[in-house]
Amino acid sequence: MFFHSWSDIGRAIAVSAMIFLTIVALLRLTGQRALAKMSAYDVVFSVTLGSLIATVAVTRDITLSEGIAAVVTMLLLQEGIRWLQARNLRAHHLIREPPAVVVWDGQLLEDRLKEDSISADEVRAAVRRAGLRSLSDAQIVVLENDGAWSVIRKERRETDDSALLGLPIPGRPGNSPAHEGSRAEPAPATRIP
């Protein structure tokens, strides 16, 4: 059918506008974190929320108040899960896929590339984007849980590895997420020749 009635069109417009304004107001309350780079968890949440909004906008059997209640519930669940992730590392790693270390000390970690279905060409491209000419110039290359690449150049001076805490680095089993509690100790400083 192409057309039911003008009242149906009016309802769809009114409900869509009200749901949109509600979401804008709620996102204003929840902050910019909800709009940052998205992980797989964030994508699933966004698709679910979008589906819910579309259903409310075009389904006569769902009232505007029921739709707003559903949207508020979804956003409260997201905020609750975000709060839990910020306070408990294990919960964070259960909900979000951990970052993947694919290069360590200039060496491609072939087993991890296969495990995560990542090609060596993708890694090389990330290294080039970081301004490095060789994999051997990279201390570590990480595919973050939001799909971004982090490349850290090898340093010739003593440095603190605190940004590497929680990453599964070869030869450092105590630094992996499986060996951490909800709070982890910083990794010891490493001297790089």
Side-chain angles (χ1 to χ4, degrees):
M1 296 254 169
F2 293 107
F3 181 80
H4 280 285
S5 71
W6 287 109
S7 64
D8 287 345
I9 291 174
R11 181 197 179 281
I13 291 170
V15 169
S16 297
M18 293 300 293
I19 292 286
F20 175 78
L21 293 174
T22 301
I23 289 174
V24 169
L26 290 171
L27 287 176
R28 182 85 170 119
L29 291 174
T30 60
Q32 293 180 0
R33 170 65 183 88
L35 303 175
K37 280 192 171 182
M38 297 194 336
S39 67
Y41 165 79
D42 298 318
V43 170
V44 168
F45 172 79
S46 297
V47 168
T48 303
L49 186 61
S51 176
L52 174 65
I53 292 166
T55 301
V56 170
V58 297
T59 304
R60 284 180 172 184
D61 298 336
I62 300 174
T63 65
L64 178 60
S65 59
E66 291 169 338
I68 289 175
V71 168
V72 168
T73 300
M74 290 289 296
L75 289 171
L76 288 175
L77 283 172
Q78 184 197 33
E79 283 302 300
I81 290 169
R82 194 172 81 180
W83 180 88
L84 181 63
Q85 287 182 83
R87 285 156 183 78
N88 186 298
L89 190 58
R90 288 202 175 137
H92 178 79
H93 286 297
L94 281 172
I95 294 164
R96 294 181 188 268
E97 189 170 337
V101 176
V102 294
V103 170
W104 175 250
D105 199 23
Q107 299 297 313
L108 276 171
L109 304 174
E110 298 288 344
D111 57 331
R112 295 188 182 180
L113 293 177
K114 288 178 187 171
E115 183 180 309
D116 292 321
S117 300
I118 300 168
S119 75
D121 286 343
E122 291 176 277
V123 177
R124 286 188 202 90
V127 170
R128 289 191 302 270
R129 278 192 300 273
L132 304 180
R133 293 179 58 133
S134 170
L135 289 175
S136 65
D137 292 336
Q139 179 61 48
I140 187 169
V141 177
V142 181
L143 178 58
E144 303 293 353
N145 63 11
D146 64 0
W149 290 93
S150 296
V151 178
I152 299 175
R153 178 186 303 265
K154 284 185 181 179
E155 294 289 331
R156 300 290 181 214
R157 58 184 173 80
E158 189 170 316
T159 186
D160 169 350
D161 287 339
S162 60
L164 308 182
L165 182 65
L167 293 175
I169 296 172
R172 291 191 187 177
N175 202 34
S176 68
H179 292 85
E180 295 177 7
S182 62
R183 296 278 183 220
E185 297 298 318
T190 304
R191 185 169 190 78
I192 299 172

